[in-house]
Amino acid sequence: MKLLCALLVFVASASAVKNYAGYQVLRVVPHDMEQLQRLHDLYNLLQDTVDFWKEPTRLNQPVDIMIGPNLVKDVKLELSRRDLDFSIYVEDIQTNIDNERCTDCVNAKAGFNYNIYHSADEISQWVTAMATDYSIVTEINIGKSHEGRDIKAIKISSGGRKRVIYIQGGIHAREWISPATMMYMANEMVTNYGVDSAVTDMVDNYDWYIVPSLNVDGYAYSWTNDRMWRKNRQPAFSLPSCVGTDLNRNYPYKWGGIGASPNPCSETFYGDAPLSGRETSVVHKWLQRFSGNIALFIDFHNYSQLWLYPWGYTHDKDIRQPHKDLQHALAIKATDALKVPYGTEYFVGMSGPDMYPAAGASEDYGYATLRVSYSYIVELRDEGNYGFLIPESLIEPSGIETFEALKVLGNDPLPKGPPIPVV
Ligand SMILES: [Zn+2]
């Protein structure tokens, strides 16, 4: 009987996973301002009904639109009606989901396998195991998520109290390459400490806090129910039938501005109030203990290969941001190093003006609220061949190249520069 129950639960949970058969991603590239404007109009019309993997930004930058089978025909017609050429970028999303996992990679290595994706529970257990295995690692329990999971950080420190480098991954649930890359890099730091002088120095220079999976409920849900889930799992107070706040629109600085939606059903819903997201709120409270002592803040996402700094909330490049030259120069150094292993190119720029404005996002929070001189939002691989569905075979390249960037940052003195303005 027990076995039957277990089997039924398994079948029920297996069948609950959303199937993406027939879902496509269409790509449109705007080549002149008129086309870009038409794409913006289309985005404003459809943003609450279809999922823009990449929204309109600037000329020659692709716009990727995921569409369910019931809307494929209509959206294609709408694009044609607006005289916008498109290509079918992903023919069938379910096929890419099926190809994401590398079945023969499981058990490929002794010990923890960094070449595969891990569930929320496994990531949590990994933090504990790292703290048990390595004296320079401490497990930090930051607090509980909306559904009661532990939000954890791994602290890497060789002792004393140093300036802090704070890194977070997985704020958007479906961007699995982000937590995987965080874990890969943490392991590189820990296992090469005392072996590789650049790694030893980066650990001796700063206290590192890495949150591999901030949106832990959303991440778990992207495993059990919907691979394409982005937000957290908190029902909106104003409309409880809509679940999830976009945590990367929920930060307090310029909350509720452009690029964030008031619609609780939207993928970019900014939440009921600034820091109303349980996870953003819990981590924010915890970060207060480092007040004035954080040298570098990075929030890792995917995809697009971008290394961006504030401001994110505005189109306007001329609004005072006295650290932009310092931030730009450091990002160039980091991305130059990142390029060495595989030739992977990143775009470096100011988030809002150079890409698209998103108010209430992490890079502005790091800079304006936490007052960190070097605050970045990074979009990891790729440029869209796989988008959110980076195959497991590419975890290691992502880890290796991003760690090259991190080594540069950890070996930089990160001078504070001028005072951060209150604007
Ligand atoms: Zn993201």
Side-chain angles (χ1 to χ4, degrees):
M1 189 61 192
K2 257 186 183 168
L3 181 69
L4 182 65
C5 287
L7 226 95
L8 284 173
V9 168
F10 175 76
V11 170
S13 62
S15 62
V17 180
K18 182 169 176 177
N19 191 298
Y20 278 91
Y23 278 71
Q24 294 191 332
V25 179
L26 305 183
R27 173 164 278 198
V28 189
V29 184
H31 295 296
D32 59 44
M33 290 310 288
E34 207 186 308
Q35 288 177 352
L36 186 60
Q37 186 55 50
R38 273 184 261 141
L39 268 168
H40 276 295
D41 294 344
L42 188 74
Y43 174 72
N44 290 333
L45 182 75
L46 295 179
Q47 62 165 318
D48 291 338
T49 15
V50 300
D51 185 352
F52 280 75
W53 279 20
K54 278 179 91 166
E55 48 194 272
T57 54
R58 55 201 172 99
L59 286 185
N60 302 314
Q61 285 301 305
V63 176
D64 295 339
I65 315 167
M66 181 177 84
I67 309 158
N70 55 337
L71 282 175
V72 163
K73 215 171 139 191
D74 291 345
V75 174
K76 284 177 180 171
L77 266 171
E78 191 61 33
L79 285 166
S80 304
R81 204 176 65 75
R82 290 168 189 252
D83 207 14
L84 291 164
D85 291 338
F86 62 88
S87 54
I88 297 173
Y89 199 64
V90 179
E91 184 75 43
D92 179 60
I93 290 183
Q94 189 57 43
T95 306
N96 284 22
I97 291 175
D98 296 342
N99 292 339
E100 184 182 30
R101 313 306 291 274
C102 163
T103 45
D104 58 353
C105 290
V106 185
N107 301 328
K109 281 183 184 173
F112 193 86
N113 190 346
Y114 288 92
N115 294 320
I116 59 169
Y117 293 119
H118 290 277
S119 68
D121 284 347
E122 287 169 345
I123 294 174
S124 179
Q125 288 156 11
W126 169 83
V127 175
T128 308
M130 290 294 273
T132 308
D133 293 349
Y134 297 99
S135 61
I136 59 169
V137 175
T138 310
E139 174 180 12
I140 311 278
N141 252 309
I142 297 175
K144 297 280 185 195
S145 69
H146 172 72
E147 291 179 343
R149 291 183 178 82
D150 292 325
I151 304 169
K152 288 187 180 181
I154 177 168
K155 178 188 178 187
I156 304 173
S157 170
S158 55
R161 188 167 188 267
K162 299 165 199 145
R163 292 169 76 206
V164 166
I165 291 183
Y166 171 74
I167 291 171
Q168 64 182 35
I171 197 168
H172 285 146
R174 62 190 174 187
E175 298 165 9
W176 286 10
I177 193 66
S178 167
T181 303
M182 300 308 100
M183 293 161 78
Y184 190 94
M185 295 196 297
N187 184 56
E188 287 297 299
M189 282 176 73
V190 168
T191 52
N192 289 301
Y193 180 71
V195 178
D196 174 333
S197 62
V199 176
T200 307
D201 288 347
M202 73 195 281
V203 175
D204 287 341
N205 289 340
Y206 298 100
D207 285 342
W208 295 74
Y209 290 85
I210 302 173
V211 177
S213 179
L214 188 146
N215 178 9
V216 61
D217 294 346
Y219 185 77
Y221 190 78
S222 74
W223 276 69
T224 55
N225 291 65
D226 183 349
R227 177 64 189 87
M228 286 299 134
W229 191 258
R230 167 184 168 98
K231 302 189 283 182
N232 78 350
R233 291 295 304 158
Q234 198 172 343
F237 184 72
S238 50
L239 187 59
S241 58
C242 289
V243 174
T245 288
D246 182 347
L247 296 174
N248 199 36
R249 301 290 185 277
N250 187 240
Y251 285 108
Y253 190 72
K254 303 287 181 188
W255 178 83
I258 42 177
S261 176
N263 176 355
C265 295
S266 165
E267 291 290 349
T268 56
F269 174 49
Y270 53 49
D272 293 303
L275 293 173
S276 58
R278 169 81 188 175
E279 296 77 16
T280 34
S281 156
V282 162
V283 176
H284 171 71
K285 280 190 195 123
W286 172 76
L287 283 168
Q288 300 314 303
R289 73 192 57 203
F290 306 118
S291 175
N293 199 37
I294 306 178
L296 171 70
F297 171 105
I298 313 179
D299 180 29
F300 281 98
H301 294 244
N302 92 312
Y303 59 107
S304 290
Q305 295 170 200
L306 308 169
W307 202 291
L308 305 171
Y309 47 86
W311 299 114
Y313 73 91
T314 176
H315 286 288
D316 189 348
K317 215 178 176 107
D318 297 326
I319 292 180
R320 200 153 76 91
Q321 205 282 56
H323 289 80
K324 64 183 173 193
D325 292 342
L326 284 169
Q327 290 170 353
H328 189 91
L330 186 66
I332 293 287
K333 266 171 71 179
T335 51
D336 281 351
L338 187 153
K339 190 180 169 184
V340 172
Y342 303 97
T344 310
E345 304 251 16
Y346 270 59
F347 172 84
V348 173
M350 190 181 270
S351 178
D354 289 333
M355 293 311 294
Y356 56 89
S362 56
E363 75 279 30
D364 288 359
Y365 164 74
Y367 187 57
T369 308
L370 296 178
R371 315 201 69 70
V372 180
S373 296
Y374 303 87
S375 178
Y376 296 108
I377 187 162
V378 173
E379 298 279 357
L380 295 167
R381 288 185 179 212
D382 55 5
E383 287 185 298
N385 286 337
Y386 299 105
F388 301 117
L389 301 167
I390 304 288
E392 287 180 324
S393 58
L394 296 177
I395 295 173
E396 188 171 84
S398 173
I400 287 172
E401 68 191 8
T402 315
F403 190 59
E404 289 304 310
L406 210 64
K407 269 197 278 189
V408 165
L409 300 169
N411 281 281
D412 194 279
L414 303 172
K416 277 193 170 181
I420 296 167
V422 181
V423 288

